[in-house]
Amino acid sequence: MDRGSAGVRRARRPGGPLGVNRAGRRPVALVDDRRYEGLTPGQALDLIPAEYRHPLLALADSVAVASTELPLLVVDLRGERGRCVRVVAAELWGIENNLSGANMDFEEFAGAVGDDGVFRGF
């Protein structure tokens, strides 16, 4: 297991930013397969089956795993398919919950990024 994979796994532990959310479920499913390493968001989109119904895809790319904040690359799958925003792992649950429940749009999160292009919450 490499450093990036280990970091994502730690984040998924109970109490971690990608652990069980307030609704008692995990907001993300982890796919740890080196065949997908280095994929661009466009290439990843091409692999998603038509019946996939989740509102987003979160990629733990080289930028994400290089930071202790784990700023995941989140890809919009509904509104403007393929639009991306970086989101610290600790805030992924909020985006997933609000997009899944249609409470907010992807644009609201993309418009609330910091000067460095990373969403850290409202």
Side-chain angles (χ1 to χ4, degrees), residues 3 20 27-28 31 47 53 55 65 67 74 80 95 104 106:
R3 186 175 74 102
V20 176
V28 296
V31 176
L47 299 174
R53 296 292 172 228
V65 299
S67 170
V74 175
E80 188 179 322
I95 291 180
M104 297 177 78
F106 193 89

Side-chain angles (χ1 to χ4, degrees), residues 35-115:
R35 291 180 296 172
Y36 303 122
E37 189 173 309
L39 286 180
T40 66
Q43 291 169 323
L45 285 174
D46 290 342
L47 299 174
I48 296 175
E51 64 275 5
Y52 189 80
R53 296 292 172 228
H54 294 283
L56 59 87
L57 174 68
L59 303 173
D61 62 2
S62 60
V63 173
V65 299
S67 170
T68 57
E69 287 185 297
L70 199 62
L72 301 164
L73 187 60
V74 175
V75 184
D76 185 5
L77 300 180
R78 287 191 180 157
E80 188 179 322
R81 187 174 173 88
R83 182 176 183 183
C84 298
V85 66
R86 286 225 175 257
V87 178
V88 294
E91 292 296 329
L92 183 62
W93 70 271
I95 291 180
E96 191 277 332
N97 283 349
N98 283 297
L99 293 180
S100 292
N103 299 324
M104 297 177 78
D105 294 321
F106 193 89
E107 293 80 25
E108 294 175 78
F109 295 99
V113 298
D115 291 339

Side-chain angles (χ1 to χ4, degrees), residues 1-2 4-13 18-19 26-34 36 52 54 57-61 65 70 72 92:
M1 179 181 335
D2 63 27
S5 177
V8 172
R9 287 187 187 284
R10 275 193 306 280
R12 290 195 72 217
R13 291 183 185 149
L18 300 179
R26 290 188 187 277
V28 296
L30 177 63
V31 176
D32 186 7
D33 190 324
R34 298 204 62 105
Y36 303 122
Y52 189 80
H54 294 283
L57 174 68
L59 303 173
D61 62 2
V65 299
L70 199 62
L72 301 164
L92 183 62

